[in-house]
Amino acid sequence: MTTYYGIEPGEKYKPWLWPLPKDTKYIGKEGIYRKDGFMKASGTVKYCRDLTMPGMLYAKTMEAPHAHCKIIAMDTSRAEAVPGVRKIIRYDEDPIWYGIFDSFRAPLTPMALPTEAWFSGQLCGATIIADTELACEEAMRILEKDTEWERLPFYLDWDEAIKPGSTPIYPDRELINHYNPGRSVEFPDFTLSWTGFENKNNMYGEEIQEYGDADSAMTEATNTLEFSFKESLPDTLAGIEAQVQIAKYIDASNTIVETWENGQGSNSIHQTDGISHCHYSGGRFGHAFNVLQGDLLAKRAALETNQRPVCHLHDRSHFYWMGEEFGTYKMKVGYEDNGKITAIKIQNINCCGILDPENKICKSTGCENIHVTKTYPYQNIGPYSCYRHGGAQAAFLNEICHRIAEDLNMDPAEVAMINDGADGHSMEWINENVKKKYGFDATRDSLNEVIDIGKKAIDWNNKWHEPGTKLLPNGKYHGIGFMYCNSWHHRADDNSSFLKYRRERDMWGPIGLGVYKSGKVFVEGAHNEVGVNRGTTYQAIIADEIGLNFDDVVVKFIDEPEGSRSSFRFRGHGGSRGLISNAVMAIRLAQKAKKMILEKACKPRMNPGGYFDLYGYQWLEPAFPNKTPEELDIKDSMVFEIANPNNKQPISAITTYLSREMFVTDVPPDLDEELHTYPMGRQCYFMEVEVDPDTGHVDVIKDVCVYDAGKIISPETCHSQMIGGTYMGYGRSRVEEVFFDPNDGVRLNDDLINYPINLIGDIKGDIDVHLIETGLNWAPYGMGGIGESPTAVQTHITRYAVHNAIGKWLDEGKTTPEYVLKALGKV
Amino acid sequence: MGNPLRDFKHINAQTINEATTILASGNAEAIAGGTDIVGTMKLYLLREYPETVVNLKTISPSLDYIKEEGGMLKIGALTRLEDIAKSNVVQSKWAGLAEAAHRTASPHIREVGTIGGNICQLNRCWYFRKKNNHYDCIRKGGNMCYAMAGENRYHSIFGAVAACVAVNPSDTAPALVALNATIKTSKRDIPAEEFWAVKIPGSTVLDTDEIVTEIQVPAFSGKSAFVKFALRSSIDFPIVNCAAAIDGSNVRICLNAVYNLPYRATKAEEAISGKTIDEASAEAAGTAAVSGAMPLAYNKWKVQIAKAMVKKCLLACK
């Protein structure tokens, strides 16, 4: 008898206790054919830039030629005369207003075609609409010559920007920020206060987050240490695919717009009425904001084209977007002789408001006393974007562990284990008060397990040595590094605001499921495509939950009518969060659908003709007469009697008599508001390197990744995610850097030749992946996310491996040869 | 990614004479593998966009060959880099050249790119390469070198040539210099060491109506080696590379990507000449190689790399 969890009135909602369906054939199994694999590997998949439509016009927008500059004059006459040019929309003609331009490095601007640009490459000034891309280009080259700019003060380095006496970058700009100056808010675990500045040394605010009493705890600590590092040269989320947005008004009054884009979210057009298509986006980490300005410019251009589609093109991928994790970080930590951390203070000069330095510290340790000061400077290097997010946060956590380990001559992995915990509580406390209380397996200790596996895999006990003490016969220094963090995205209701919206309006659920007359199950929802294997994964879950053959489940990613809020929509961006959130919905829908099928199996079936005879309906006897749904089950797309399995019929024997498809919808509840979901899953990485003291080059000999995913749905996808995450992760510190011309602030390496992303051929050694399943997450089957974290957490692992190799700390987060040579004193 | 291409005439040359005649007519470019010229055109790097592109791959008899004649290695200018890298005869007798070809770019590019194109390619200075001629620098007819006072971490460590501090990016060039090769063109024979120049915008001494037809490498019975330093070994242009050819007391060492032209490290040659190659002597040669270095504001670290590359290259010849 199948039990349905959490869908009956009065049932306690505990998705983490939902067990796997019995006799799973697809969940957790290898060899499941990836439905989009062939298309992508063969190059037949259509990306947004591949799309052509009848009558399509093209548009391009000017990019600011300098960091911080203002248009003085623009003569469009020569550009307008280029054959094929239809219209040039000017900055001063018709300001396009929109909500926010999400940059914490510049004052917020409400315009899509601003007059003043704050960073080089910013879209501004003019949009050219023409018959061909070439005509746009030719016209733009002329227009760039015919535009006069005033160069304004700029800063590329925030430490320079905030120095006393620095030149104000925005002297006339009123302070606009997300917080009210002087606000202070008490949260259950911490207090948050904000002070807004008015252009005080190019700073626009300071935020303080206080947990416990870090000052007192620091005074009482047996030991203290102070240290700092700087992530001074940012990286970018550059990808293979250049940005593109296509817009077309489908009504003569230009109020309903249809758009195509390669953004990460299918909801990026959420401010207007229309249909949005989110095509495959290739090889880019992203955030919905990335396409916002381009999207609005495309729609503005489409207003001029009498319902012809306009393809708004960019030359490059998102090179002008920067990560949110660079800054100057000063830390002070108090600890005991056994390595137990008692107090942490972090001063963080960082341009981005979404970096919470203490985030992973809170989720991975039991430290109760943390004080964080975040200072926000203005800077002219492009807006932030959340991608490979969490790398710096994991670095703070691990920097502290390694510095303590070095001071106490301890193994850093031991320091990690001594401090294991979450949200102010030790793991021992969590074992007793959380795991046991809420039905988790309290014998599982994720951090101990992942570290144990990882240490064995890399032979840590034989290879780890004191920093700077092992010179190899080949003249290189041997080093071995370690990093750890909580596994993130661990809650079943990670999309709670999205669901709350629907619940409050009594709307249908975000995903629709239909059981068709053929017996096949269709799952529908708008969905962006970022390259993870979601469709196949949901298919596996639904097939196993209902008892269907794999190919009897079809996951349809549909377009999105009438804006994002009302339509079927999978949880959009976020690799980890997406799967967990959508899996909850998929499981509940599957269980509901199964219940409906089994109920139908016990009821009379309407005659195939579906017509009334003169005396009423004609009915056939039930597929399973005199049986109740509780006596039946489904396996291999066959409904069968549990007590007599040979009594079975295909689902289609029941569903073929439906007058129409059975439609299932569901809006999952939130987790209990009072419930505190302590993150209990862990991940860790070990890296073995050889550092050439003559060149500073770091060769990675071996990388061991150990991840507690809670419950693995698609083993190959998880394995690939770890491999790809490793490349992208430590490539970020080992080779990736953005460079600017110091004289005009122009980005110099905004292409994939000069911006070096790690490739498969750059990894000499093995990447050894180990996945464990403790079930210690607050989502169905105990599953957790495995999307972003392998790449984010491994951003700094070379830092620790290099430190172990050469015995010196790099001042920078980067471990490029230049910085290693500097640390060695060779430059 | 690049921008769409403007229309241009594409002519498949049937003979060398036809190719050079077309090039002489002005505003024409030659295309072999196309791995440099196409990118240059798509990004509209230069002041002038070619009206005509003349295809050299169709010239008959073909310029794609590797042969050994009378002890001399002869490589047609249109020979692909991957073929050179994999050639048994090149590997066995001119190992440094085979290694240089093998370390160029990526497998995909080596399957298309030719040795003629590799030695004729334009420089990779990011100011020079900014799209739409954003920086109309001295190598395009402008009046300043933006790298001189700009971001120059990958630029010359041995000063400027004609006020330019861009470097020569070829991997095969230093190997050809070290092996004392001759570049045969449609007009003349040029010793490899004299082949490169700082021109607007070119990087060789070739006249407008002149193409490389063959590379000749003399018989060599010694040891040759090539080493390369780049951030990514999979695909990157060199930050520094170095080739050495040692035949008895005859030592030739050539650094590249450290100067506008392949840099013959004569001081290193003097330092190592007649000595047994070991860690100490190779280290001393490396130090000698960079003794005249004049690093710029951001590229002092390249001096250390160059020193290390000379050392490693000599040890590879041991």
Side-chain angles (χ1 to χ4, degrees):
Chain A
M1 157 65 181
T2 303
T3 307
Y4 307 105
Y5 293 97
I7 58 172
E8 301 296 337
E11 282 252 2
K12 289 279 187 190
Y13 188 59
K14 294 183 179 176
W16 62 90
L17 295 180
W18 296 353
L20 282 174
K22 61 178 169 44
D23 304 325
T24 54
K25 287 173 66 175
Y26 309 111
I27 294 174
K29 302 293 190 290
E30 294 187 359
I32 307 298
Y33 176 70
R34 178 169 171 156
K35 51 190 276 162
D36 61 351
F38 178 77
M39 277 195 297
K40 289 183 177 173
S42 66
T44 53
V45 71
K46 283 272 188 229
Y47 289 90
C48 203
R49 212 169 174 102
D50 297 324
L51 296 178
T52 56
M53 299 170 195
M56 190 158 82
L57 298 172
Y58 295 84
K60 283 206 169 179
T61 300
M62 181 178 279
E63 295 179 4
H66 314 286
H68 204 198
C69 50
K70 193 159 96 173
I71 297 175
I72 300 171
M74 179 186 282
D75 179 359
T76 56
S77 55
R78 287 203 309 145
E80 281 165 351
V82 170
V85 170
R86 299 264 176 160
K87 162 98 183 162
I88 298 180
I89 304 168
R90 292 171 56 104
Y91 62 97
D92 52 4
E93 169 186 317
D94 178 11
I96 308 163
W97 297 89
Y98 64 104
I100 56 167
F101 176 60
D102 204 66
S103 165
F104 281 96
R105 300 194 179 103
L108 301 174
T109 174
M111 290 192 288
L113 272 182
T115 312
E116 183 174 338
W118 294 283
F119 58 93
S120 80
Q122 182 177 348
L123 298 179
C124 61
T127 297
I128 296 175
I129 307 168
D131 291 340
T132 63
E133 188 183 353
L134 183 60
C136 283
E137 274 303 315
E138 300 284 24
M140 188 60 77
R141 273 190 280 275
I142 293 170
L143 188 59
E144 282 168 356
K145 290 190 171 71
D146 293 347
T147 303
E148 205 181 325
W149 296 86
E150 178 189 354
R151 303 272 298 268
L152 298 168
F154 71 92
Y155 284 101
L156 301 175
D157 184 278
W158 54 89
D159 285 332
E160 292 297 315
I162 65 173
K163 265 186 185 162
S166 60
T167 305
I169 302 175
Y170 310 115
D172 303 323
R173 188 70 61 174
E174 280 185 25
L175 181 66
I176 305 169
N177 56 67
H178 287 243
Y179 305 104
N180 296 319
R183 185 182 83 151
S184 181
V185 177
E186 293 281 336
F187 289 88
D189 295 336
F190 64 94
T191 60
L192 175 69
S193 62
W194 167 260
T195 305
F197 301 146
E198 285 227 11
N199 278 313
K200 177 179 160 188
N201 291 342
N202 292 316
M203 290 183 287
Y204 64 93
E206 184 175 86
E207 182 180 299
I208 296 171
Q209 276 182 255
E210 181 96 56
Y211 302 74
D213 185 348
D215 283 327
S216 301
M218 197 72 73
T219 308
E220 291 160 13
T222 306
N223 307 284
T224 59
L225 264 180
E226 289 189 66
F227 45 89
S228 66
F229 71 92
K230 186 170 180 174
E231 289 273 9
S232 64
L233 290 167
D235 50 50
T236 180
L237 57 75
I240 300 159
E241 188 184 11
Q243 295 182 72
V244 57
Q245 303 87 27
I246 302 172
K248 176 181 124 174
Y249 283 91
I250 57 177
D251 63 319
S253 57
N254 286 339
T255 52
I256 311 272
V257 65
E258 192 170 3
T259 55
W260 295 257
E261 57 161 340
N262 59 347
Q264 191 183 23
S266 61
N267 62 336
S268 63
I269 334 289
H270 49 261
Q271 269 110 32
T272 57
D273 292 330
I275 303 169
S276 73
H277 310 267
C278 219
H279 267 263
Y280 289 116
S281 51
R284 176 179 65 80
F285 297 100
H287 191 264
F289 293 143
N290 297 344
V291 298
L292 194 60
Q293 189 184 14
D295 167 76
L296 285 155
L297 289 167
K299 287 192 287 187
R300 173 64 183 89
L303 288 173
E304 305 288 337
T305 62
N306 205 23
Q307 295 176 265
R308 289 173 71 170
V310 176
C311 179
H312 184 250
L313 289 162
H314 306 248
D315 289 340
R316 295 282 183 216
S317 184
H318 304 64
F319 281 94
Y320 57 84
W321 287 85
M322 302 289 160
E324 87 284 24
E325 300 195 323
F326 55 95
T328 303
Y329 309 115
K330 296 176 185 169
M331 288 174 269
K332 185 174 181 182
V333 57
Y335 54 101
E336 302 308 310
D337 286 337
N338 65 351
K340 186 86 176 162
I341 302 165
T342 55
I344 298 170
K345 291 186 81 169
I346 301 176
Q347 187 189 356
N348 169 31
I349 300 168
N350 168 272
C351 315
C352 170
I354 65 167
L355 177 70
D356 295 320
E358 78 292 351
N359 179 278
K360 303 304 176 207
I361 295 170
C362 289
K363 291 190 190 306
S364 306
T365 74
C367 185
E368 300 171 18
N369 306 295
I370 307 173
H371 179 105
V372 178
T373 306
K374 291 194 281 186
T375 307
Y376 298 109
Y378 285 131
Q379 196 185 4
N380 301 101
I381 62 167
Y384 81 86
S385 178
C386 169
Y387 71 97
R388 293 186 269 184
H389 178 69
Q393 294 168 331
F396 301 135
L397 164 71
N398 283 273
E399 190 78 11
I400 289 168
C401 279
H402 280 77
R403 297 283 186 155
I404 291 173
E406 185 184 35
D407 187 56
L408 296 176
N409 200 25
M410 282 178 72
D411 177 343
E414 295 300 316
V415 176
M417 286 196 281
I418 282 165
N419 286 288
D420 194 19
D423 297 334
H425 293 283
S426 67
M427 194 50 70
E428 289 76 25
W429 185 94
I430 291 172
N431 287 339
E432 287 301 313
N433 298 283
V434 179
K435 287 180 187 172
K436 285 182 180 171
K437 183 177 176 183
Y438 292 101
F440 292 99
D441 183 352
T443 65
R444 303 300 300 263
D445 182 327
S446 187
L447 183 62
N448 261 303
E449 292 184 39
V450 297
I451 286 178
D452 187 51
I453 291 169
K455 278 189 166 183
K456 285 189 180 108
I458 204 154
D459 197 15
W460 175 269
N461 290 340
N462 289 321
K463 289 189 177 171
W464 186 67
H465 49 78
E466 285 188 32
T469 58
K470 188 166 178 181
L471 186 64
L472 296 167
N474 62 9
K476 297 182 183 177
Y477 284 102
H478 174 269
I480 191 160
F482 159 76
M483 276 192 84
Y484 84 108
C485 195
N486 60 288
S487 320
W488 56 74
H489 297 304
H490 59 285
R491 285 178 62 108
D493 62 348
D494 250 337
N495 57 347
S496 54
S497 60
F498 168 62
L499 293 175
K500 189 179 168 192
Y501 181 93
R502 289 175 180 255
R503 230 179 274 122
E504 286 172 350
R505 289 155 184 77
D506 200 23
M507 293 166 69
W508 53 40
I511 309 174
L513 184 149
V515 182
Y516 281 59
K517 290 164 73 76
S518 63
K520 283 194 186 294
V521 164
F522 281 74
V523 178
E524 300 178 328
H527 161 73
N528 65 291
E529 167 61 86
V530 295
V532 297
N533 187 17
R534 285 196 217 169
T536 312
T537 309
Y538 301 140
Q539 194 170 339
I541 291 172
I542 292 167
D544 271 343
E545 282 286 344
I546 297 178
L548 298 174
N549 291 324
F550 192 71
D551 289 332
D552 287 334
V553 178
V554 178
V555 178
K556 269 173 62 179
F557 296 130
I558 63 173
D559 298 320
E560 194 172 335
E562 307 274 334
S564 64
R565 294 289 185 177
S566 59
S567 56
F568 287 137
R569 183 162 72 87
F570 282 89
R571 170 68 173 170
H573 58 274
S576 309
R577 187 181 289 169
L579 171 61
I580 294 173
S581 307
N582 293 321
V584 169
M585 295 190 274
I587 292 167
R588 285 173 59 95
L589 285 173
Q591 291 178 351
K592 269 192 174 179
K594 184 173 183 178
K595 189 177 175 195
M596 288 165 76
I597 293 168
L598 295 180
E599 285 171 350
K600 287 282 182 196
C602 301
K603 290 183 176 166
R605 295 168 286 178
M606 194 193 293
N607 97 24
Y611 61 88
F612 297 101
D613 64 11
L614 286 175
Y615 305 103
Y617 298 101
Q618 280 191 326
W619 293 94
L620 300 175
E621 67 165 7
F624 292 86
N626 305 314
K627 298 293 174 198
T628 63
E630 291 72 23
E631 294 175 272
L632 304 176
D633 205 343
I634 303 175
K635 185 178 175 181
D636 299 332
S637 297
M638 301 289 283
V639 179
F640 67 97
E641 183 185 344
I642 296 171
N644 177 19
N646 287 328
N647 180 16
K648 59 184 177 184
Q649 295 195 52
I651 291 177
S652 57
I654 298 145
T655 56
T656 198
Y657 299 101
L658 295 171
S659 58
R660 55 185 298 169
E661 74 277 6
M662 287 196 293
F663 181 70
V664 187
T665 180
D666 178 73
V667 183
D670 278 338
L671 294 179
D672 188 340
E673 272 184 14
E674 302 296 318
L675 178 65
H676 189 109
T677 54
Y678 292 87
M680 300 180 287
R682 297 289 181 263
Q683 52 180 315
C684 74
Y685 304 90
F686 295 83
M687 177 181 275
E688 187 177 3
V689 301
E690 290 181 4
V691 179
D692 188 333
D694 286 335
T695 62
H697 187 80
V698 179
D699 268 326
V700 177
I701 306 304
K702 186 164 184 166
D703 192 279
V704 171
C705 312
V706 193
Y707 201 99
D708 180 3
K711 173 63 204 161
I712 294 163
I713 307 299
S714 170
E716 287 107 331
T717 306
C718 292
H719 191 268
S720 310
Q721 194 69 12
M722 299 302 287
I723 303 281
T726 299
Y727 281 94
M728 296 298 283
Y730 76 77
R732 205 176 175 193
S733 58
R734 190 169 156 266
V735 292
E736 292 183 42
E737 285 186 275
V738 178
F739 295 110
F740 299 88
D741 177 68
N743 300 307
D744 69 359
V746 170
R747 240 172 23 263
L748 294 171
N749 57 339
D750 58 351
D751 59 73
L752 288 171
I753 294 176
N754 291 306
Y755 185 77
I757 296 178
N758 246 1
L759 304 177
I760 287 178
D762 297 311
I763 313 277
K764 289 190 171 43
D766 293 329
I767 301 176
D768 187 11
V769 175
H770 300 262
L771 300 166
I772 70 169
E773 300 174 286
T774 62
L776 293 175
N777 294 291
W778 303 86
Y781 318 144
M783 75 165 92
I786 193 170
E788 191 174 44
S789 53
T791 187
V793 175
Q794 290 198 85
T795 295
H796 292 94
I797 192 165
T798 46
R799 173 176 173 77
Y800 303 112
V802 167
H803 170 255
N804 184 254
I806 67 175
K808 296 187 194 311
W809 288 108
L810 273 60
D811 293 332
E812 294 278 348
K814 303 278 178 195
T815 53
T816 58
E818 187 181 347
Y819 296 118
V820 175
L821 286 175
K822 258 175 91 175
L824 286 167
K826 301 226 172 161
V827 176
Chain B
M1 187 68 55
N3 303 332
L5 291 170
R6 246 178 231 159
D7 287 348
F8 58 91
K9 279 195 226 125
H10 181 274
I11 299 174
N12 289 325
Q14 301 302 313
T15 64
I16 292 172
N17 192 52
E18 182 185 0
T20 54
T21 303
I22 294 167
L23 290 169
S25 64
N27 205 10
E29 294 285 345
I31 186 168
T35 55
D36 194 22
I37 183 64
V38 174
T40 302
M41 290 167 67
K42 288 185 90 171
L43 292 172
Y44 296 83
L45 297 184
L46 305 176
R47 284 182 174 182
E48 299 290 330
Y49 186 91
E51 287 173 8
T52 306
V53 171
V54 58
N55 183 13
L56 306 180
K57 297 185 291 295
T58 45
I59 288 172
S60 180
S62 169
L63 297 178
D64 178 0
Y65 54 84
I66 300 173
K67 52 192 177 190
E68 189 181 3
E69 285 180 356
M72 174 175 285
L73 176 66
K74 294 183 178 179
I75 304 176
L78 273 289
T79 307
R80 292 174 305 161
L81 293 159
E82 188 68 3
D83 291 338
I84 297 169
K86 287 190 171 139
S87 162
N88 286 332
V89 68
V90 180
Q91 284 181 1
S92 59
K93 295 185 181 175
W94 295 275
L97 179 59
E99 181 66 13
H102 173 66
R103 291 298 310 276
T104 300
S106 69
H108 313 84
I109 295 171
R110 292 196 293 273
E111 289 285 358
V112 174
T114 65
I115 190 164
N118 188 258
I119 62 174
C120 293
Q121 66 182 298
L122 297 175
N123 75 76
R124 304 299 311 188
C125 169
W126 43 32
Y127 292 97
F128 181 87
R129 292 272 172 176
K130 196 77 177 152
K131 70 169 183 178
N132 293 337
N133 194 19
H134 182 87
Y135 293 102
D136 189 43
C137 72
I138 209 159
R139 293 292 289 274
K140 300 180 195 179
N143 57 14
M144 72 177 279
C145 171
Y146 293 88
M148 194 81 77
E151 171 52 75
N152 47 39
R153 66 186 57 236
Y154 296 129
H155 291 70
S156 172
I157 57 171
F158 289 108
V161 175
C164 172
V165 292
V167 298
N168 185 294
S170 168
D171 282 312
T172 58
L176 294 174
V177 171
L179 289 167
N180 204 14
T182 299
I183 314 297
K184 196 172 166 59
T185 79
S186 51
K187 284 186 176 180
R188 50 189 160 148
D189 294 350
I190 310 169
E193 208 165 334
E194 297 167 21
F195 180 71
W196 289 278
V198 174
K199 288 173 72 174
I200 299 170
S203 56
T204 73
V205 299
L206 294 175
D207 296 330
T208 309
D209 62 342
E210 187 178 9
I211 63 171
V212 175
T213 56
E214 185 177 88
I215 288 140
Q216 296 175 343
V217 189
F220 179 73
S221 56
K223 288 202 121 173
S224 65
F226 171 86
V227 293
K228 174 176 176 178
F229 184 86
L231 282 181
R232 294 179 299 177
S233 57
S234 59
I235 193 170
D236 279 346
F237 285 96
I239 292 174
V240 177
N241 58 22
C242 182
I246 301 177
D247 191 357
S249 59
N250 191 16
V251 180
R252 291 173 68 91
I253 304 170
C254 184
L255 282 161
N256 204 16
V258 295
Y259 187 52
N260 241 309
L261 315 168
Y263 185 85
R264 182 93 183 269
T266 50
K267 290 182 184 166
E269 291 171 0
E270 288 163 19
I272 200 73
S273 182
K275 294 203 173 79
T276 303
I277 299 176
D278 55 28
E279 279 280 331
S281 61
E283 172 94 21
T287 303
V290 299
S291 58
M294 295 180 284
L296 302 165
Y298 290 93
N299 70 359
K300 291 183 181 64
W301 68 290
K302 266 186 78 160
V303 177
Q304 170 63 31
I305 304 292
K307 177 177 155 188
M309 287 296 107
V310 169
K311 174 182 169 185
K312 288 179 190 296
C313 200
L314 287 172
L315 288 172
C317 287
K318 203 170 141 184

